[in-house]
């Protein structure tokens, strides 16, 4: 059985700035332009039966504004008339009205249990679209951004069951055969789940393939389903369609047929009920291994060998326990005997007294560790100073208790640590796993439309941007940019809703649920001389923070960033904020 490789994210030290002094609030006005919409955005509010945190993450915090990464400064949204509206920006001071590029064939108002309509720009000529009722569309658009050749036409249209939203899609060309792969997300009811929320998250990996080279006709050729217990922070298919990457709090697994699942479950139960091969205990000076022997085993059938860092036990010339020990032992003083109750007892003398062994043999899980009551009492005594029924009863003592109220929000460790997994598209097995620990997921951004989306994680106080490279097995995730102190800054924004950055990393931005937008620029050279009086040195660069306040009381429903502009969508208005003028 293949085991997934445990990987880590390698930070590029040259991209970090240990001398970063913080953001300076700039009062320079940001040009802001407002467009009133002909029809309101097709917002779908959560129903009474969509009450879990997963429903809120997936649908309540849905971004209704979509950016075409193949044609920057082209943004799209769906209005209440079922129209996909597009705004193309060439000159900020001469903005036109959003234009209709496509109209959904279905009457959305007729569906009570629908979700928000979602679309993804698969390539420069393809779009995948969900109307929120459970129907998937594949649309050929021609070269978008070219008014003469752009024409949206449906080439696939099929009901796939329960409503879903689209997370990601790619276009694949192999030996002149064209296919589209997309990831669909559902939050579904789990009737047998009585301990949790009663829901689970389903990710469906759907592949559409062209079946006729002469006409534009596509059919579903493959459907793979993954189940998990939390909405993923990030889910994307690799450019060649050979794998899938998911970052989430709870793990996902591919669902096979029910019979195989039952067999795996029975095997797992059998393994859990199996008696351990051995039991072991430890004190500060030694370790004791106990093995229960069968009646037909005699002293002559037992062979025990010690070395300073290795142990080998054989019964009737068959290996029973063998491997490298966690730490060194005094092999000459170690012994073994057969007890009256027909058990083999092996005593190992520790070379490093006082060292607690977390395991006996490295990588061996066939034994069971037994901790005696005296050890438990000693450990509790050593940890007593960390807990108290009183709030900080004696702060001046030698070992002060930990007071959680002294922690800032950005220092709090999340109870559920996330993981980043890579799944093989053929074997459906996990091949790579990264334990993200306390590296909080912040947002994702498409830097290069031909690559997988990047994701931004918090590392200490900074926010680091990572680019997945599926073709590089040894260096699958590359650190490409750093937003200094942004991990710390964003933790104080309790009302934040959307987070984004420019594809060229020139700035990061976040918005609250209402009105306010915060922009954090990368450090730039000063045109005037500025001194740090505390350290007595000249400051060469300053990172600016800017705040924009929108003239509306409607909630923010969408948020997208390009290299030059920020787009903010509310129920009835579209705002454009000019961030970079010199590009």
């Amino acid at each position: 059985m293949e085991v997934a490789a445990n990987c880590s994210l390698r930070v590029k030290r040259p991209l970090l700035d240990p001398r970063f002094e913080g953001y300076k609030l700039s009062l320079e006005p940001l040009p802001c332009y407002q467009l009133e919409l002909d029809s309101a955005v097709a917002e779908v509010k959560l129903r009474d039966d969509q009450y879990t945190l997963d429903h809120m993450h997936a649908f309540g915090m849905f971004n209704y504004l979509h950016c075409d990464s193949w044609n920057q400064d082209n943004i799209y949204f769906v209005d209440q008339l079922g129209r996909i509206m597009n705004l193309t920006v060439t000159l900020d001071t001469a903005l036109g009205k959003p234009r209709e590029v496509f109209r959904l064939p279905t009457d959305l108002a007729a569906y009570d249990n629908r979700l928000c309509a979602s679309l993804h720009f698969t390539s420069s000529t393809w779009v995948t679209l969900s109307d929120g009722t459970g129907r998937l569309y594949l649309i050929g658009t021609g070269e978008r951004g070219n008014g003469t050749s752009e024409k949206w036409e449906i080439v696939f249209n099929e009901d796939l069951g329960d409503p879903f939203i689209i997370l990601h899609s790619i276009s694949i060309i192999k030996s002149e055969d064209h296919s589209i792969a997309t990831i669909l997300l559902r939050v579904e009811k789990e009737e047998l789940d009585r301990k949790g929320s009663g829901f689970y998250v389903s990710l469906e990996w759907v592949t559409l393939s062209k079946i006729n080279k002469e006409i534009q006709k596509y059919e579903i050729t493959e459907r793979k389903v993954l189940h998990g217990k939390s909405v993923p922070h990030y889910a994307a298919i690799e450019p060649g369609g050979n794998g899938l990457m998911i970052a989430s709090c709870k793990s996902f697994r591919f669902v096979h047929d029910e019979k195989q699942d039952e067999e795996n479950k029975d095997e797992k139960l059998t393994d859990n009920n199996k008696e351990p091969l051995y039991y072991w205990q430890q004190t500060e000076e030694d370790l004791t291994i106990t093995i229960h022997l069968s009646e037909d085993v005699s002293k002559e059938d037992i062979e025990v060998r010690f070395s300073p860092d290795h142990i080998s036990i054989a019964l009737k010339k068959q290996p029973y326990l063998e491997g490298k020990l966690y730490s060194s032992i005094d092999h000459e003083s170690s012994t073994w005997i057969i007890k009256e109750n027909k058990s083999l007892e092996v005593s190992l003398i520790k070379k490093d007294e006082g060292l607690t062994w977390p395991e006996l043999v490295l990588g061996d899980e066939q034994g069971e560790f037994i901790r005696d009551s005296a050890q438990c009492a000693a450990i509790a005594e050593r940890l007593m100073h960390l807990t108290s029924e009183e709030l900080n009863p004696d702060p001046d003592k030698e070992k002060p208790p930990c007071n959680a109220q002294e922690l800032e929000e950005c220092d709090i460790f999340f109870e559920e640590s996330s993981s980043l997994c890579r799944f093989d598209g053929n074997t459906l097995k996990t091949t790579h796993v990264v334990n993200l620990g306390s590296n909080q997921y912040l947002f994702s951004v498409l830097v290069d439309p031909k690559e997988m989306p990047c994701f931004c994680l918090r590392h200490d106080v900074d926010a680091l941007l990572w680019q997945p490279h599926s073709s590089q097995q040894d260096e699958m995730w590359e650190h490409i940019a750093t937003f200094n102190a942004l991990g710390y800054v964003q933790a104080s924004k309790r009302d934040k809703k959307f987070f984004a950055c420019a594809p060229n990393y020139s700035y990061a931005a976040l918005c609250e649920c209402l009105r306010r937008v915060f922009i954090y620029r990368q450090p730039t050279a000063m045109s005037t001389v500025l001194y740090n009086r505390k350290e007595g040195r000249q400051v060469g660069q300053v990172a600016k923070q800017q705040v924009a306040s929108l003239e509306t009381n409607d909630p923010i429903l969408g948020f997208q960033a390009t290299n030059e502009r920020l787009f903010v969508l509310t129920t009835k208005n579209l705002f454009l904020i000019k961030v970079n003028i010199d590009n």
Side-chain angles (χ1 to χ4, degrees), residues 299 302-304 306 334-338 344-347:
K299 184 177 180 180
I302 301 172
E303 185 178 353
V304 182
F306 307 115
S334 299
T335 60
W336 63 273
I337 60 170
I338 298 179
L344 171 65
E345 187 175 281
V346 181
S347 297

Side-chain angles (χ1 to χ4, degrees), residues 230-236 245-250 252 418-421 436 441 455 457:
S230 67
V231 171
H233 302 305
Y234 173 95
M245 292 187 191
I246 298 176
S248 60
C249 291
K250 303 287 181 66
F252 278 80
S418 302
S419 61
L420 173 63
C421 300
L436 300 180
Y441 173 87
F455 53 88
L457 301 177

Side-chain angles (χ1 to χ4, degrees), residues 83-150:
R83 301 179 299 175
I84 297 180
M85 306 298 288
N86 162 242
L87 177 67
T88 301
V89 180
T90 52
L91 187 63
D92 303 275
T93 54
L95 292 176
K97 283 279 188 181
R99 64 187 181 97
E100 177 184 340
V101 294
F102 183 78
R103 187 181 291 252
L104 290 167
T106 52
D107 180 12
L108 301 182
Y111 293 84
D112 294 331
N113 65 336
R114 68 184 177 95
L115 299 176
C116 37
S118 58
L119 66 151
H120 190 269
F121 296 94
T122 309
S123 72
S124 60
T125 57
W126 292 100
V127 168
T128 48
L129 170 66
S130 163
D131 61 7
T133 68
R135 187 168 289 275
L136 177 66
Y137 297 86
L138 177 61
I139 300 174
T141 63
E143 285 292 339
R144 294 188 303 277
N146 185 341
T148 56
S149 64
E150 182 176 355

Side-chain angles (χ1 to χ4, degrees), residues 9-28:
L9 301 176
R10 299 179 184 176
V11 176
K12 292 183 178 179
R13 298 294 170 188
L15 295 181
L16 303 181
D17 183 5
R19 303 188 72 177
F20 182 73
E21 296 181 340
Y23 292 96
K24 310 301 180 186
L25 181 62
S26 172
L27 300 180
E28 295 175 19

